[in-house]
Amino acid sequence: MPRFILPTSRWSSTIFALAEVDRLMRSWEASGEAVSGQCFFCADGLIVRNPGIGSMVRVIAGLVASGEFDGVVRRIADPE
């Protein structure tokens, strides 16, 4: 019996809650990192207002529904 492999895609993003960004920036203020906590940056970062998996899932679902998903997260190349 033949096997069919459906095409899939993989996406990448680092999701932070707003409070975690604040916590990191305060920590960096003391350590001197990120211009002494004056900025926050990361590759493929997505910041959500509320913490928790449920909040993150709702944001991702909202991005998909609005058509903004592929502009926010990075698609990972399919393995060769």
Side-chain angles (χ1 to χ4, degrees):
M1 175 174 280
R3 290 182 70 195
F4 296 97
I5 299 174
L6 298 174
T8 61
S9 59
R10 299 179 312 151
W11 301 81
S12 173
S13 185
T14 303
I15 304 175
F16 294 91
L18 193 55
E20 177 62 7
V21 173
D22 183 57
R23 186 194 71 76
L24 287 169
M25 291 178 77
R26 289 178 191 276
S27 172
W28 296 338
E29 187 174 14
S31 71
E33 295 171 78
V35 194
S36 295
Q38 296 301 304
C39 63
F40 176 88
F41 54 90
C42 72
D44 304 320
L46 171 61
I47 299 171
V48 297
R49 182 168 303 283
N50 299 308
I53 300 288
S55 175
M56 294 175 189
V57 169
R58 284 188 294 278
V59 167
I60 294 292
L63 291 170
V64 170
S66 69
E68 297 175 288
F69 179 79
D70 60 350
V72 174
V73 299
R74 180 176 61 93
R75 184 168 185 184
I76 299 172
D78 295 328
E80 304 269 336

